[in-house]
Amino acid sequence: GIQVEQSPPDLILQEGANSTLRCNFSDSVNNLQWFHQNPWGQLINLFYIPSGTKQNGRLSATTVATERYSLLYISSSQTTDSGVYFCAGGHNYGQNFVFGPGTRLSVLP
Amino acid sequence: GAGVSQSPRYKVAKRGQDVALRCDPISGHVSLFWYQQALGQGPEFLTYFQNEAQLDKSGLPSDRFFAERPEGSVSTLKIQRTQQEDSAVYLCASSFKRDNEQFFGPGTRLTVL
């Protein structure tokens, strides 16, 4: 099955800093999502982005499907951005939706 | 409803007890998924329904795990004879169809003593 890698595994930022999180897939996927899991465990949808670039406020994401990776950009980070960021993807030919191990982000005031 | 709901939010079971976890998907969503999330890890796929049909149960860890969605809406995940290794958060997600964006419920945290 598909393997998903995320980097870095842990990231500590000062409030106001920018960051880039990366997700690599071992095989092609045609549905890809980024999530933020808050301290209460809720998975919050950030982007559905099988390809291309999207932006939502301080967050943006880019997926290069041909090279099997996706990037999540966080600008002007805030303490409320803290938590774990997951990417996940699958393929419509029977591949289940597979999550990466996550990037744990801590934003310090 | 506005989103995916799950109940109970917390469940404590003694080893050997049976438990049933409920998921109410977003109205109109054809696809429903169950995931298991162990502490400190990403969610792992358990099973997938399209309407009432269980099309994939390859992620169920043992025959003690059983899921159903008899009317194509609400789903129940049942774990028989619970073991300590079953302790985890069980997440439910739904989507309009299989490869569309998935929306997750708040999860049920199961603790087996």
Side-chain angles (χ1 to χ4, degrees):
Chain A
I2 288 179
Q3 306 297 314
V4 184
E5 297 177 346
Q6 288 189 245
S7 59
D10 296 280
L11 184 59
I12 300 174
L13 299 175
Q14 207 67 38
E15 197 168 28
N18 303 327
S19 62
T20 300
L21 282 58
R22 185 177 178 108
C23 179
N24 290 332
F25 290 85
S26 61
D27 202 348
S28 61
V29 296
N30 66 352
N31 61 337
L32 191 157
Q33 290 184 241
W34 282 97
F35 300 90
H36 175 212
Q37 189 162 46
N38 66 20
W40 297 270
Q42 177 71 53
L43 278 169
I44 299 166
N45 288 33
L46 298 178
F47 295 101
Y48 175 77
I49 187 166
S51 63
T53 297
K54 291 185 177 180
Q55 181 158 6
N56 184 3
R58 297 182 295 103
L59 303 181
S60 64
T62 295
T63 296
V64 183
T66 54
E67 298 189 16
R68 304 193 301 271
Y69 74 87
S70 185
L71 302 173
L72 177 69
Y73 305 97
I74 304 174
S75 64
S76 304
S77 57
Q78 301 176 358
T79 56
T80 52
D81 295 334
S82 296
V84 183
Y85 289 79
F86 290 103
C87 66
H91 195 280
N92 62 3
Y93 292 110
Q95 175 61 56
N96 300 318
F97 204 57
V98 179
F99 280 76
T103 292
R104 183 173 298 277
L105 174 65
S106 299
V107 181
L108 305 179
Chain B
V4 179
S5 61
Q6 293 186 244
S7 62
R9 293 292 313 277
Y10 303 91
K11 178 69 178 178
V12 178
K14 292 183 178 179
R15 188 160 57 94
Q17 284 184 331
D18 298 348
V19 299
L21 313 180
R22 177 187 169 106
C23 173
D24 283 81
I26 293 172
S27 178
H29 278 192
V30 168
S31 297
L32 186 145
F33 307 80
W34 283 98
Y35 296 85
Q36 181 190 60
Q37 186 174 21
L39 190 64
Q41 299 183 18
E44 293 189 353
F45 170 83
L46 293 177
T47 187
Y48 159 66
F49 289 87
Q50 181 172 302
N51 295 307
E52 70 279 2
Q54 188 175 19
L55 298 187
D56 189 341
K57 53 182 181 179
S58 62
L60 296 177
S62 79
D63 58 7
R64 297 185 296 104
F65 286 70
F66 172 76
E68 60 183 5
R69 194 186 184 198
E71 298 179 357
S73 56
V74 171
S75 177
T76 303
L77 176 67
K78 298 179 179 178
I79 309 174
Q80 297 176 324
R81 304 180 304 281
T82 53
Q83 304 294 315
Q84 284 189 323
E85 61 263 29
D86 300 334
S87 296
V89 175
Y90 290 87
L91 295 164
C92 175
S94 71
S95 65
F96 182 66
K97 57 180 183 177
R98 179 166 190 161
D99 296 316
N100 287 172
E101 184 175 7
Q102 292 187 32
F103 297 88
F104 281 76
T108 295
R109 181 177 297 277
L110 173 65
T111 303
V112 182
L113 303 177

